[in-house]
Amino acid sequence: DINKEIGYPRGEAYAQRGLAAVANAIGDPRRALDILKQAEALSRQTADARLGAHIQLVRGVSLHRLGRLMEAEAALKEALAVFRQADALGDLSTTYSELSLVQSEMGNCRDAYGSQAQYKLISDRLLNNQLDQRFATLKVEFDTAAKEQENTLLIRENEANEKALTQARRVRQLQAVAIALTVVLAALLATLAIHQRRTTLRMRKLALTDELTGVPNRRDVLNRLEELLAREGE
């Protein structure tokens, strides 16, 4: 509710001004003037000069529709004074456009041309401002999109780097496991070779010595004898 948003009686005055504008739009300027009387009474209870200017603008339009051109011109000029001070380009554009029509119908072509020139000048400023705002908005949107894309690429790059680091860690872990297995296998083979060597020596000793006394047996003696005979034969 507008009254709750900006306070009574100011909100009620804005609402009445809006109703008057609607009455003008549907071709009932007399009704608009009656409504504006209530809006003006309420606006006197506030310190909102721009509200009063808006009421005068709508009043000027109503008087124009009724053919009361001098009163319409006076009301529009009163509104212009406030809008100029506030540099309200949209309101100035609307007021100058209406004023140029009133002055033209009054036969005051010079003033009508001047008002139309002001309307054109302010409309161009308004358009340029809108273009600047649109450009600024597009720039912000572009910068935001570019930043988001950059962040997305950085996230993907970080994810790729993390995957690469994870794979590298896994490779190092596998290499460490392979080295450990190799060392264990080598140790097992060495142990097995030593055990085999000892077993071979033990078996040889058992084959060439007497098990009870430990002295060389007949086989060992014969082997040594064959070696001696072979040396003598040389």
Side-chain angles (χ1 to χ4, degrees):
D1 185 84
I2 190 171
N3 292 326
K4 293 181 180 179
E5 290 180 1
I6 60 179
Y8 187 91
R10 185 182 174 203
E12 180 64 22
Y14 269 107
Q16 294 295 330
R17 189 263 302 174
L19 291 174
V22 171
N24 278 333
I26 63 176
D28 193 357
R30 294 186 185 280
R31 173 63 179 160
L33 287 176
D34 290 338
I35 296 173
L36 287 174
K37 290 179 182 178
Q38 302 175 36
E40 287 177 316
L42 292 168
S43 70
R44 295 190 191 99
Q45 303 176 41
T46 71
D48 190 342
R50 192 165 176 180
L51 169 59
H54 278 290
I55 292 173
Q56 289 303 315
L57 170 58
V58 178
R59 184 168 179 272
V61 174
S62 300
L63 293 169
H64 179 199
R65 301 291 187 274
L66 293 170
R68 296 159 60 178
L69 301 181
M70 293 185 65
E71 294 177 78
E73 182 183 34
L76 293 171
K77 285 184 176 179
E78 184 177 340
L80 277 177
V82 177
F83 292 148
R84 283 198 206 96
Q85 187 173 5
D87 196 29
L89 297 183
D91 296 327
L92 282 172
S93 175
T94 302
T95 308
Y96 271 120
S97 177
E98 187 70 22
L99 182 59
S100 68
L101 295 175
V102 171
Q103 292 169 335
S104 177
E105 292 180 22
M106 292 173 64
N108 193 345
C109 297
R110 178 174 295 180
D111 288 346
Y113 177 80
S115 296
Q116 185 65 27
Q118 287 295 322
Y119 163 74
K120 179 67 168 57
L121 179 64
I122 292 169
S123 295
D124 290 343
R125 282 183 59 194
L126 192 59
L127 178 61
N128 289 334
N129 287 348
Q130 291 173 344
L131 291 174
D132 289 344
Q133 290 175 359
R134 182 56 180 163
F135 176 78
T137 301
L138 290 174
K139 186 176 184 303
V140 170
E141 291 176 354
F142 175 80
D143 291 344
T144 301
K147 190 65 177 177
E148 290 177 353
Q149 185 176 10
E150 182 181 352
N151 291 337
T152 301
L153 292 175
L154 287 174
I155 291 172
R156 290 179 180 175
E157 183 178 352
N158 290 336
E159 290 176 350
N161 290 337
E162 185 64 28
K163 288 180 179 179
L165 290 174
T166 301
Q167 291 176 351
R169 284 195 293 268
R170 288 178 180 175
V171 170
R172 287 196 296 270
Q173 290 172 353
L174 291 175
Q175 289 176 342
V177 171
I179 292 172
L181 290 175
T182 302
V183 171
V184 171
L185 181 60
L188 289 174
L189 291 175
T191 302
L192 182 60
I194 293 172
H195 179 72
Q196 186 68 25
R197 173 69 175 170
R198 289 176 179 174
T199 300
T200 301
L201 292 175
R202 184 168 177 272
M203 294 299 293
R204 180 178 178 80
K205 182 178 180 182
L206 289 174
L208 299 177
T209 60
D210 183 74
E211 185 176 358
L212 294 176
T213 62
V215 297
N217 59 15
R218 180 172 174 275
R219 184 181 297 169
D220 188 23
V221 171
L222 292 175
N223 287 339
R224 292 184 182 185
L225 180 60
E226 288 178 359
E227 291 176 1
L228 291 173
L229 291 175
R231 290 176 184 174
E232 290 178 359
E234 293 176 357

